[in-house]
Amino acid sequence: MKHLKTILVATTMAAALFSAPVAYAAEGINVDGFVKMCDMDKDGMVSKKEAMKMIEKMWDKQDTKKMGKLDKKQVEAFLNELMKSGG
């Protein structure tokens, strides 16, 4: 159940990020870098599964207490890492 909650939160965060590309365009997101980082099968595209796997890795890195939850400071670090990966 904890894993499911983690996936749901990560999915929600990913959906928010991917649904607002115009808001982030001004910050100069490096799309090529993001694709390169996520594209595990090297087909030049990012599948939902590939993106979620990358997001889960980043989540797990910030979830240092392995609680399946991030506090405000951890969320900030997670989002910064996520933005850095694409920018």
Side-chain angles (χ1 to χ4, degrees), residues 36-54:
K36 187 176 182 178
M37 185 177 67
C38 293
D39 185 17
M40 297 299 167
D41 62 6
K42 306 300 181 206
D43 66 353
M45 299 188 299
V46 178
S47 69
K48 182 177 181 179
K49 185 176 180 178
E50 289 170 326
M52 294 311 300
K53 188 169 189 158
M54 184 271 304

Side-chain angles (χ1 to χ4, degrees), residues 36-79:
K36 187 176 182 178
M37 185 177 67
C38 293
D39 185 17
M40 297 299 167
D41 62 6
K42 306 300 181 206
D43 66 353
M45 299 188 299
V46 178
S47 69
K48 182 177 181 179
K49 185 176 180 178
E50 289 170 326
M52 294 311 300
K53 188 169 189 158
M54 184 271 304
I55 290 169
E56 283 183 35
K57 265 179 150 176
M58 290 179 169
W59 179 279
D60 290 342
K61 181 179 174 183
Q62 298 305 323
D63 185 12
T64 55
K65 296 177 185 173
K66 304 303 175 208
M67 296 173 51
K69 300 176 184 180
L70 301 180
D71 62 26
K72 189 174 180 177
K73 185 176 178 181
Q74 291 168 318
V75 169
E76 181 179 10
F78 171 81
L79 292 175

Side-chain angles (χ1 to χ4, degrees), residues 24-35:
Y24 296 104
E27 295 181 27
I29 288 185
N30 179 356
V31 175
D32 291 331
F34 183 82
V35 171

